[in-house]
Amino acid sequence: MEVWYVAYGSNMHAARLAWYIGGGCPPGGKRTYPGCRDRRPPSRSVPVSLPGGIYFAGESGAWTGGMAFYDPHLPGEAAARAYLVTLEQFTDIAAQEMYRPVDDTTDLIPATGVAIDAAVANGRATLGPGRYETLVCPGSRSGVPMLTFTAPEGASGVRCRPPAPTYLGMIARGLRESHGWPTERIASYLAGRPGVADAWSPDAVAALVAEAVVDEALVSEVLVSEAFPEGSPSASGRPGG
């Protein structure tokens, strides 16, 4: 079974997702990822827009600062990137987001299958009470369900917290890579997100985005080559249609 894993945070950058699939510790990272048992790259990726928005809250163990979460009840649209992966890969990516060991997902795979069925039927399902343990299905593409995970609370139910500059920069690179947005549009989009809007000035966001976009090609080449030493993932660069 294949599903679309929909990323709206740092995993919009294909080189970043490569570490969830291939395993290892990204340069400058604070966390080593076990990777997926099936280490093949996604077969396709496409830019998508989700109803709602993203916000930043909590504390990231990989980046420090706030983490990105999706709230379908926020106004506007959330820019995202959908990757076509197997159910097993989706489960292993989810396990790493949940800080669960990938080699201990025997029960998580059937639970994820049940949750996917519930999310497709109802738009939402729960895998657990923690962060990234709420499964959301915003629709389907070519008859394949689109799935993402987020926190159980929306932006109005939490205390938003600004993200770390390196994290926000990685999201900016993902937006440029997947959607092809110009620097000004990326900066405007990120500057308005809850958790960023009250902590970063628009000029500071614009400067960070400009620097991140300039570094994008080099970062992508280094991260992908280290995460996939035997070949670059098919989802890197601008996605296919």
Side-chain angles (χ1 to χ4, degrees), residues 2 24 35 39 41 55 73 81 105 119-120 128 139-140 146 167 191 198 214 235:
E2 288 186 318
R39 298 186 180 234
Y55 65 95
H73 300 296
R81 186 176 190 174
T105 55
V120 170
S140 63
M146 299 168 58
Y167 183 45
D198 296 332
V214 167

Side-chain angles (χ1 to χ4, degrees), residues 39-65:
R39 298 186 180 234
R40 292 174 297 172
S43 56
R44 289 182 64 197
S45 77
V46 292
V48 296
S49 296
L50 309 180
I54 65 168
Y55 65 95
F56 294 87
E59 172 73 22
S60 171
W63 304 96
T64 72

Side-chain angles (χ1 to χ4, degrees), residues 47-143:
V48 296
S49 296
L50 309 180
I54 65 168
Y55 65 95
F56 294 87
E59 172 73 22
S60 171
W63 304 96
T64 72
M67 300 170 288
F69 296 103
Y70 170 58
D71 182 351
H73 300 296
L74 284 173
E77 289 186 329
R81 186 176 190 174
Y83 297 91
L84 192 61
V85 298
T86 66
L87 174 59
E88 183 182 82
Q89 286 177 317
F90 180 82
T91 302
D92 288 349
I93 293 168
Q96 291 173 90
E97 288 279 26
M98 299 174 193
Y99 281 75
R100 299 187 188 185
V102 171
D103 58 359
D104 187 26
T105 55
T106 303
D107 294 334
L108 189 57
I109 290 178
T112 302
V114 171
I116 287 174
D117 290 341
V120 170
N122 305 312
R124 191 179 185 93
T126 301
L127 280 166
R131 66 178 201 178
Y132 299 124
E133 295 190 6
T134 297
L135 194 62
V136 176
C137 177
S140 63
R141 186 180 182 92
S142 302

Side-chain angles (χ1 to χ4, degrees), residues 10-32:
S10 61
N11 281 345
M12 282 191 289
H13 199 280
R16 171 64 178 166
L17 179 65
W19 292 97
Y20 279 83
I21 295 176
C25 181
K30 299 178 179 295
R31 182 183 174 198
T32 298

Side-chain angles (χ1 to χ4, degrees), residues 13 15-16 19 27 170 173 176-177 211-227 232 236-237:
H13 199 280
R16 171 64 178 166
W19 292 97
M170 186 63 74
R173 293 185 185 107
R176 179 61 172 265
E177 182 183 84
E211 181 179 358
V213 169
V214 167
D215 293 342
E216 178 195 345
L218 177 60
V219 169
S220 295
E221 182 178 349
V222 171
L223 291 181
V224 171
S225 64
E226 292 189 14
S232 298
S236 64

